[in-house]
Amino acid sequence: MFTLLFIAGKNWRLSLAELVAYLQTRRISFEIQQFNKEFFTIQTQQALDPTVISDMGGIIKIGQSEVTLDSQLVKDAFIVHNKQAEKQIAEVLESSNIVEQMIKYAKKGKMFFGVSVYIEEDQFKARAGEIQRLLGSAIKKELARQGRTARFMGFANKSQGQLSHVEVIKKELVESRSELLFCIGKETSYIASTIAVHNPFEFQKRDIYKPRQRKIFGMPPRLAKIMINLSGCTKGKTLLDAFCGVGTVLQEALLIKAQVVGTDINAWCIKAAEDNLKWLSQEYELYNVDYRVVQSDVGVLSMKIGRENIDCIVSEPDLGPALRQIPTTPYAQKVIDKLTSLFFGFINESYKVLRPGGRLVVVTPYIVTRSKQIVTMPIGEKAEEADYVRVKPFSPEFFAKNITDMQGLTDLESLVEVDGRHLIGREIHVFRK
């Protein structure tokens, strides 16, 4: 068995849902042993290749657990300031093989290493600096004992106590196994070696350096990647985006060697998507790629694409106007009503083109009004009428038996992503044919 630590992105529920879908699709047996907004502890029956992080949009770091501690011991050390507990933690760290691993993978000369602290309970957060200093001192001492000099990296934000993925990449701490993750849970805490880190530069390149842009209505590549994983798309499957825009979803699917089909009613978008996919193929040296982009009204989707030719659909239709101020509830309802026929028509046509067992991932508007009411689209009812089955993000079987408080995860029917730059958020639904 392998115990892995996953550091979540800003939307931890969406990050966990993506991870679950990713593991399920690849038939990797797993059990969620711990989860919170900072990190997830997952036990798998087989090792994961660290490169899987490039296939995901919602995971920041992956760590291999090296040391397990009772969180009461951690509390005694850093909340109660029990010197014996502090000493015990340092001794456990020094007796582990973490330092040997760092020496094994490090280059010659002075070593660099860092510690990032991820905390479930607020009471520890003010102690992040103390925790870093204790771990850093113990590691430096052990390295010196083995004849190696090292520099313990500082932190831009000492209250957070976390190295950013950019710092980890620039100092090559993954390659040298020289970043430690100290993940403090309510009952169990872990010290892990970082084995993979999200590369923001690649996502940035695919976002702002592609030749054709549509910034106001664009979807971030990170979110496109998450939705593709929720759809169960893998190498060789055929994915459709029926509202492809400039092709963000298509490009992320192409990177995992899926066959992609895009449609859009806007002729400019079709040309832009073609240009972007051609650019992506050259930039990432993708050979024998299979993509097709077709101008089409979504109402005749099955006529253009054919029936039951698609394995997965990932689409974000029109979410409404770019609002300049928080809308009233009546206005928000008008936005939803105006879009309803488009969405409902898409639901019917998408069912026709999907193969049996295929998944539809669709985004609908999520609007919080001035009176704090939430206005959404009743897409689930329409999907059921079309014979779709809703796929909930989480099932009780995913969690360890000792987890009794699932924080409402197993009741969730959809996932919400709210971008601070826009007043209309995204509600993400998954359906199966």
Side-chain angles (χ1 to χ4, degrees):
M1 301 293 283
F2 299 86
T3 302
L4 299 171
L5 280 298
F6 294 85
I7 305 304
K10 291 181 181 179
N11 188 334
W12 70 269
R13 292 180 181 84
L14 193 57
S15 297
L16 184 56
E18 179 197 22
L19 178 58
V20 164
Y22 185 89
L23 296 173
Q24 271 193 305
T25 299
R26 288 154 183 80
R27 294 182 171 82
I28 298 172
S29 297
F30 70 93
E31 183 178 79
I32 301 170
Q33 296 189 317
Q34 192 170 176
F35 68 91
N36 54 69
K37 65 181 181 180
E38 294 284 330
F39 65 89
F40 319 131
T41 309
I42 309 287
Q43 193 170 75
T44 64
Q45 291 187 0
Q46 65 187 77
L48 285 187
D49 187 325
T51 60
V52 302
I53 200 165
S54 65
D55 292 336
M56 292 186 276
I59 299 299
I60 303 300
K61 299 175 184 177
I62 303 176
Q64 175 71 54
S65 176
E66 305 290 349
V67 173
T68 303
L69 299 168
D70 189 320
S71 291
Q72 184 58 52
L73 177 65
V74 180
K75 187 177 293 186
D76 289 344
F78 299 111
I79 303 299
V80 181
H81 293 291
N82 183 306
K83 295 298 181 182
Q84 186 59 38
E86 290 182 15
K87 182 180 178 183
Q88 189 175 340
I89 291 174
E91 288 174 349
V92 169
L93 184 60
E94 290 163 6
S95 65
S96 71
N97 69 343
I98 289 175
V99 170
E100 282 71 16
Q101 270 198 133
M102 292 168 62
I103 293 173
K104 176 183 176 182
Y105 288 100
K107 295 178 182 179
K108 292 182 179 180
K110 194 170 188 177
M111 295 173 60
F112 288 87
F113 73 95
V115 177
S116 292
V117 182
Y118 297 90
I119 298 168
E120 180 174 3
E121 295 187 287
D122 290 341
Q123 62 179 322
F124 282 103
K125 292 186 177 179
R127 312 293 185 188
E130 293 178 38
I131 297 169
Q132 291 162 356
R133 284 192 293 274
L134 178 80
L135 296 184
S137 176
I139 293 167
K140 203 167 185 177
K141 178 181 175 183
E142 184 61 22
L143 284 169
R145 192 183 68 80
Q146 298 195 34
R148 296 299 301 266
T149 58
R151 177 186 169 191
F152 179 42
M153 290 183 63
F155 302 94
N157 188 335
K158 293 184 179 180
S159 64
Q160 294 271 335
Q162 299 162 4
L163 287 174
S164 72
H165 35 329
V166 174
E167 291 173 301
V168 174
I169 290 170
K170 285 184 175 180
K171 293 298 183 181
E172 300 181 346
L173 298 186
V174 172
E175 293 82 351
S176 60
R177 293 290 180 93
S178 294
E179 186 199 25
L180 297 190
L181 308 177
F182 193 13
C183 299
I184 305 173
K186 287 182 180 178
E187 296 181 2
T188 306
S189 298
Y190 301 86
I191 301 176
S193 297
T194 302
I195 61 171
V197 63
H198 160 81
N199 189 335
F201 303 114
E202 289 300 317
F203 279 93
Q204 184 183 51
K205 179 169 72 172
R206 300 198 296 271
D207 189 17
I208 67 174
Y209 294 115
K210 60 190 176 188
R212 305 296 288 272
Q213 303 284 336
R214 201 183 185 201
K215 294 183 179 179
I216 295 177
F217 301 104
M219 175 186 292
R222 173 196 63 81
L223 182 59
K225 184 78 77 178
I226 292 172
M227 291 173 60
I228 289 166
N229 283 322
L230 293 175
S231 78
C233 185
T234 53
K235 178 181 178 180
K237 288 189 176 181
T238 302
L239 178 141
L240 166 70
D241 182 356
F243 300 84
C244 69
V246 297
T248 302
V249 169
L250 302 181
Q251 71 180 24
E252 295 304 312
L254 209 59
L255 285 171
I256 62 170
K257 299 182 179 179
Q259 302 170 37
V260 302
V261 180
T263 67
D264 203 290
I265 197 171
N266 186 319
W268 181 88
C269 285
I270 294 300
K271 181 63 170 65
E274 289 175 340
D275 290 347
N276 285 339
L277 292 174
K278 182 179 179 181
W279 168 83
L280 183 88
S281 301
Q282 294 171 344
E283 191 72 20
Y284 286 85
E285 298 181 347
L286 304 177
Y287 303 107
N288 300 317
V289 290
D290 190 344
Y291 64 84
R292 180 163 59 108
V293 188
V294 181
Q295 186 176 1
S296 175
D297 186 309
V298 74
V300 293
L301 193 61
S302 58
M303 293 175 61
K304 290 279 188 176
I305 303 301
R307 289 176 176 262
E308 299 190 351
N309 285 330
I310 302 297
D311 297 302
C312 322
I313 300 175
V314 174
S315 287
E316 179 176 277
D318 186 356
L319 298 183
L323 301 178
R324 294 185 178 180
Q325 57 185 356
I326 299 173
T328 63
T329 299
Y331 183 81
Q333 191 59 56
K334 283 182 181 179
V335 171
I336 297 294
D337 292 343
K338 188 175 181 179
L339 296 171
T340 297
S341 61
L342 172 69
F343 277 82
F344 285 10
F346 169 56
I347 289 293
N348 288 331
E349 284 295 299
S350 67
Y351 191 87
K352 295 175 185 177
V353 302
L354 261 184
R355 293 190 174 106
R359 286 191 177 191
L360 163 67
V361 179
V362 59
V363 176
T364 58
Y366 182 91
I367 308 175
V368 180
T369 69
R370 292 180 195 174
S371 58
K372 306 301 181 184
Q373 288 185 281
I374 297 171
V375 179
T376 60
M377 183 174 288
I379 200 77
E381 298 171 14
K382 184 62 182 178
E384 289 178 9
E385 288 178 16
D387 285 338
Y388 273 116
V389 176
R390 185 183 284 279
V391 179
K392 288 187 173 184
F394 305 104
S395 171
E397 67 197 44
F398 301 156
F399 299 87
K401 291 183 173 60
N402 66 323
I403 297 179
T404 55
D405 180 12
M406 296 181 187
Q407 299 183 31
L409 291 183
T410 54
D411 296 326
L412 288 178
E413 293 193 336
S414 61
L415 297 156
V416 174
E417 171 81 339
V418 178
D419 185 337
R421 297 173 299 171
H422 301 106
L423 296 177
I424 297 181
R426 296 174 166 100
E427 186 173 12
I428 304 169
H429 310 261
V430 183
F431 301 106
R432 183 181 67 250
K433 181 173 179 179

